[in-house]
Structures are given as structure tokens and as C-alpha cells.
Amino acid sequence: MARLEKIHGLAIPAPRFTRWALVYFLKFVLLPGLLLLLALDVALYVAFRHWLDACYGILCFFQ
């Protein structure tokens, strides 16, 4: 059961995690973080493969 808080004499439910909070977290926190890591991975791939002429990634060890 949700506990009630009194604000200005009105009983309101306490803050809780909702589905919209999950949507906003995925959209504004998780997705930008994943896109940033993807861009970093692509930049490192280009740097290693084309500029340093070296292998990049785990699959290179099995070639």
C-alpha cells in the first residue's frame, strides 16, 4: 500500500517509479549513452584499421 504524504492539508501519494519514468529514462539517458558508445566504437575502429593498420576487436584474434 502506498503511503500518503500531507502537503497543505491534502493527502497525496508518495513519489514512485512509473512507466513514463521508464520511457523517459530509456529516451534521455540510455539511448544517448548507447549512441555515444557506438560513435566511440566506430571512431576507434577507423583509427585502428585505417590509421594504425592494426586489428581491432576480439574477432581479430581468431583470424
Side-chain angles (χ1 to χ4, degrees), residues 37-58:
L37 289 174
L38 176 66
L40 180 64
D41 189 44
V42 170
L44 285 172
Y45 173 79
V46 169
F48 274 81
R49 294 294 286 167
H50 298 292
W51 296 334
L52 300 176
D53 198 30
C55 191
Y56 179 77
I58 290 211

Side-chain angles (χ1 to χ4, degrees), residues 14-25:
R16 65 187 188 281
F17 194 77
T18 63
R19 290 182 191 151
W20 282 111
L22 177 63
V23 169
Y24 285 130
F25 175 77

